[in-house]
Amino acid sequence: MTTAFDFDVAVIGAGAVGLACGYQLALGGKTVAVLEKERFIGQGVSSRNSEVIHAGLYYPTGSLKAQLCVRGRRLLYPFLDAHGVGYEKCGKIVVATSEAEIARVQAVAEQARINGVEGLQMLTAEQVHALEPQAKALMGLLSPETGIFDSHGYMLALEGEIQARDGAVVTGAPFEGAEPLPGGGFKVRTGGSDPAEMTVAQIVISGGLGAQDAAARIAGYPADQIPKLHYGKGVYFALNGKPPFQHLVYPPPITGALGVHYKRDMGGRAHFGPDLQYVDEINYDVDPGRAAGFYEYVRHFWPALPDGALTPDYAGIRPKLHGPGEPQPDFRVDGAERHGLEGLVALFGIESPGLTSSLAIGEKVAEMLKG
Ligand SMILES: Cc1cc2nc3c(=O)[nH]c(=O)nc-3n(C[C@H](O)[C@H](O)[C@H](O)COP(=O)(O)OP(=O)(O)OC[C@H]3O[C@@H](n4cnc5c(N)ncnc54)[C@H](O)[C@@H]3O)c2cc1C
């Protein structure tokens, strides 16, 4: 792009989204430095989630979530194939376990159709039973495009692609601040054990739970354009015993999240989660006391769940832009028209389906920073 700078673009944050942005920018011919405060890549939100490749069923018509999830999923499967990263397109069934839930599953099916999701099929109770004999359901919606994948293998593949295109992924390098340079571009400062300075033409903020803090460290970033961050914690319980289902099994979504669902990981272990609880601090403890609610909830769609079969597993925290009871907003992909700083894109509120959408978010960011 230019030789006047140390790198064309600094990306703050080496989670799945920051790395996918770095990859798409590098594909467009830019030199990229991805700056990560932790000692390893992918230690943030990207390491504490369901690892589900979402088909794009739920998101409101025309929203970034709807567009970027569907597009991201269509880009993701071929990327995983090309890089030998493990995945399983196991499909998912959204089940109605009560009369009241039937209309909600039908609404999901209609939204999914509008969003352009391929291969959807409404299932009768008998058809659900034929596919998943242990599931209890009055009806269901089958989404064959949904899958699970090795998200860490994915992030390693993105890192390798960036490095192969003269880019750098620098760990142990917390972003400390940036100032716009006269004539364009930014001076960027990193801390840690080896503090450094570099000049870049452009910046992408992809800091997950640290995105708001990173934006506030950029001279001239308007404080009223930094959205309030809420922590939406979700815990998982693992199942001791054989996975009961081949497909992922989800009830209809709850307000603010997709709801506690059944998923398998790539190692074949079954898990249930995540729930949603607003918290004031980052703490990944799983309270064993939440198990009672999980047993009750899961038995709606899996009545045979044995007593004592659930073990506290792990937790993740969603970088939410809405508080309890408030409507769930879209992803924020903020360019200069919002914050006034040319050459800067800031990502806020990249909760689910951020992993699935990552390659499409990267594509969009690269398009915004073209030229
Ligand atoms: C419980 C849960 C379940 C989910 N399930 C799914 C799912 O099944 N499918 C799906 O598609 N999505 C899912 N998501 C969403 C998905 O995990 C996220 O959207 C995605 O991982 C976000 O990636 P990211 O790169 O934006 O954030 P992160 O992975 O958090 O990366 C941000 C990085 O920035 C670094 N950082 C922060 N501040 C600084 C700084 N000052 N300097 C340098 N580095 C910094 C952090 O250390 C971190 O590594 C789920 C999320 C949660 C919480």
Side-chain angles (χ1 to χ4, degrees), residues 12-359:
I12 302 164
V17 175
L19 290 165
C21 289
Y23 166 62
Q24 296 287 18
L25 287 158
L27 271 189
K30 298 193 176 187
T31 57
V32 178
V34 184
L35 307 175
E36 170 54 51
K37 69 179 166 70
E38 303 295 341
R39 287 180 57 221
F40 302 101
I41 65 167
Q43 301 294 295
V45 188
S46 299
S47 68
R48 297 176 163 277
N49 55 64
S50 296
E51 290 190 300
V52 171
I53 300 175
H54 288 297
L57 308 180
Y58 309 97
Y59 313 106
T61 308
S63 63
L64 285 176
K65 285 184 182 173
Q67 294 167 35
L68 298 175
C69 182
V70 171
R71 172 82 183 145
R73 187 241 311 152
R74 289 179 186 155
L75 293 173
L76 187 54
Y77 282 120
F79 181 95
L80 300 177
D81 275 333
H83 293 81
V85 177
Y87 72 86
E88 204 187 314
K89 210 189 246 189
C90 52
K92 131 174 164 180
I93 307 176
V94 186
V95 292
T97 61
S98 66
E99 290 291 338
E101 283 183 356
I102 292 177
R104 290 169 60 200
V105 174
Q106 285 167 340
V108 171
E110 176 56 13
Q111 188 62 59
R113 191 191 59 73
I114 294 169
N115 292 352
V117 179
E118 308 85 338
L120 300 166
Q121 197 188 330
M122 298 303 288
L123 302 175
T124 62
E126 294 71 33
Q127 288 170 319
V128 175
H129 186 74
L131 288 173
E132 294 294 355
Q134 296 206 50
K136 177 183 167 229
L138 299 176
M139 51 82 74
L141 169 68
L142 175 66
S143 165
E145 284 297 320
T146 305
I148 53 174
F149 77 125
D150 168 9
S151 60
H152 288 275
Y154 169 56
M155 289 188 275
L156 284 172
L158 291 169
E159 180 184 31
E161 286 283 0
I162 293 166
Q163 289 165 338
R165 291 177 169 76
D166 296 330
V169 178
V170 191
T171 55
F175 170 75
E176 296 230 309
E179 292 85 41
L181 293 166
F186 300 86
K187 185 163 82 179
V188 169
R189 283 175 286 112
T190 58
S193 58
D194 194 9
E197 278 188 5
M198 67 175 80
T199 59
V200 297
Q202 299 174 322
I203 293 179
V204 178
I205 300 176
S206 182
L209 294 163
Q212 277 83 346
D213 175 70
R217 289 169 180 273
I218 294 178
Y221 202 108
D224 62 356
Q225 292 302 324
I226 302 177
K228 185 169 166 44
L229 171 67
H230 300 266
Y231 296 147
K233 182 170 177 175
V235 303
Y236 293 81
F237 282 80
L239 177 72
N240 303 320
K242 273 178 54 186
F245 309 118
Q246 284 306 307
H247 299 78
L248 309 182
V249 178
Y250 282 56
I254 57 170
T255 308
L258 295 187
V260 168
H261 51 259
Y262 160 81
K263 63 125 188 166
R264 277 181 295 125
D265 60 30
M266 291 296 294
R269 186 142 200 230
H271 309 255
F272 296 94
D275 58 0
L276 173 60
Q277 190 193 5
Y278 281 88
V279 294
D280 295 327
E281 59 177 29
I282 297 180
N283 173 329
Y284 296 114
D285 293 347
V286 180
D287 173 7
R290 296 185 82 77
F294 272 69
Y295 280 105
E296 194 200 330
Y297 192 82
V298 171
R299 281 175 177 149
H300 288 153
F301 59 90
W302 185 32
L305 169 63
D307 284 334
L310 298 181
T311 310
D313 197 8
Y314 67 98
I317 296 184
R318 307 165 178 92
K320 282 192 165 291
L321 300 183
H322 65 118
E326 293 171 5
Q328 190 166 18
D330 205 355
F331 290 152
R332 285 259 304 257
V333 182
D334 290 1
E337 69 295 340
R338 188 129 196 180
H339 50 61
L341 292 166
E342 285 302 329
L344 189 142
V345 176
L347 303 174
F348 297 113
I350 310 297
E351 50 168 318
S352 192
L355 209 51
T356 309
S357 308
S358 51
L359 286 170

Side-chain angles (χ1 to χ4, degrees), residues 1-5 8-9 28-31 201-202 369-371:
M1 179 181 167
T2 170
T3 52
F5 298 99
D8 293 326
V9 193
K30 298 193 176 187
T31 57
Q202 299 174 322
L369 293 178
K370 218 173 187 167

